[in-house]
Amino acid sequence: MSMRHFLRLNDLSRDEILTLLHRAIALKALQRQGERYAPCGGRTLAMIFEKSSTRTRVSFEAGMTQLGGHALFLSPRDTQLGRGETIEDTARVLSRMVDMVMIRTFAHSNLERFAACSRVPVINGLSDDHHPCQLLADLMTALEHWGTLAGRTVAFIGDGANNMAHSWMEAATLLDFHLRIGTPDGYLPAPEIMAMAAGRVEIVHDARQAVQGADLVVTDVWTSMGQEEEATARHATLWPFQVNATLMAAAAPDTIFMHCLPAHRGEEVTAEVIDGARSLVWEEAENRLHAQKALMEFLFGLGPVAATHGG
């Protein structure tokens, strides 16, 4: 299989995503059965963190270890990037020494520049525009719960320009479900993402309208890293879009809830919802590990997912 990068969800085809999700479910079962599966012996994953994280670091590092490989944590102070070395030069050097690179950064263009000069697969651990690894975990969780995503309705509540909203939009176009984004005016998704998702995504400016008929309600923090100076204004504007018991009552009784974490209880979601019976947040968080193991296996050209697609 020729080298592939995973910078956004639509870097994979519909069939590849579905096969990868089913593979992630199988890898989860293997781990819970206590079976060792370590096809990545001798391989190294470099993890570059310009934005800090709990779930991204632990899931990638633990996942690579479980696959038999090794993971290196690199912050800006641990590399020459923090002293002005170009992204391109760092990519040229690192990709001669390691077998895969995961980057968690700000500008999505930085990922594209790195990938253009890399000899090894590059994974987007998060950028300001996209969070595709989180979507793999979310979609895996939904698939475990429902068995299929086709025909479902997902409501994303909050900042429509959020990287999670963008990745959910790509997921809707790939996997045949309807996405309704409940967001204030002025918090709309990027125009190019809107154009790509035409026909699959509906934008409304009322949270209650957004959740009506939804099978899944999703939200994210109101203020992402790098937006701290906007926190007060964001809180005031997004307050009517808090996911609380009243809002969930406007959805169907069996509607489920997800949040990519970290959560700010009392802001974008109340404790009653995130800790309630309809929340799948903890399964969703765990599934970062399994989905990313399946992704790394695929990008290395190993295992049944790669074999299905020419590896």
Side-chain angles (χ1 to χ4, degrees), residues 249-260:
D254 59 350
T255 299
I256 56 177
F257 172 77
M258 291 190 203
H259 190 307
C260 61

Side-chain angles (χ1 to χ4, degrees), residues 85-243:
E85 183 173 63
T86 68
I87 292 170
E88 290 79 5
D89 285 355
T90 299
R92 292 180 182 111
V93 172
L94 265 186
S95 65
R96 287 172 178 260
M97 298 180 177
V98 302
D99 303 286
M100 184 175 289
V101 179
M102 185 281 296
I103 305 175
R104 186 174 167 95
T105 188
F106 291 89
H108 191 77
S109 59
N110 289 345
L111 281 162
E112 295 172 330
R113 289 169 59 193
F114 192 103
C117 295
S118 176
R119 293 183 169 196
V120 300
V122 176
I123 296 172
N124 178 5
L126 175 142
S127 68
D128 286 345
D129 293 341
H130 299 277
H131 199 354
C133 286
Q134 181 65 53
L135 255 289
L136 290 180
D138 292 2
L139 295 170
M140 175 186 172
T141 307
L143 197 63
E144 286 180 311
H145 187 76
W146 292 322
T148 182
L149 290 136
R152 296 287 180 173
T153 297
V154 175
F156 182 92
I157 308 298
D159 180 2
N162 177 282
N163 53 13
M164 285 295 295
H166 286 168
S167 289
W168 270 110
M169 291 170 75
E170 292 193 346
T173 63
L174 286 164
L175 298 179
D176 303 321
F177 62 85
H178 183 68
L179 177 66
R180 193 179 299 127
I181 297 179
T183 190
D185 192 24
Y187 287 75
L188 299 179
E192 64 273 17
I193 307 286
M194 284 291 294
M196 174 274 302
R200 283 290 176 193
V201 178
E202 176 186 2
I203 306 292
V204 299
H205 299 303
D206 179 84
R208 185 181 178 88
Q209 180 185 352
V211 304
Q212 288 176 347
D215 300 290
L216 166 63
V217 173
V218 185
T219 193
D220 193 7
V221 295
W222 289 341
T223 305
S224 298
M225 282 178 278
Q227 299 174 332
E228 288 80 5
E229 293 183 359
E230 306 169 23
T232 300
R234 284 176 164 271
H235 189 279
T237 304
L238 288 161
W239 182 255
F241 294 83
Q242 182 189 71
V243 180

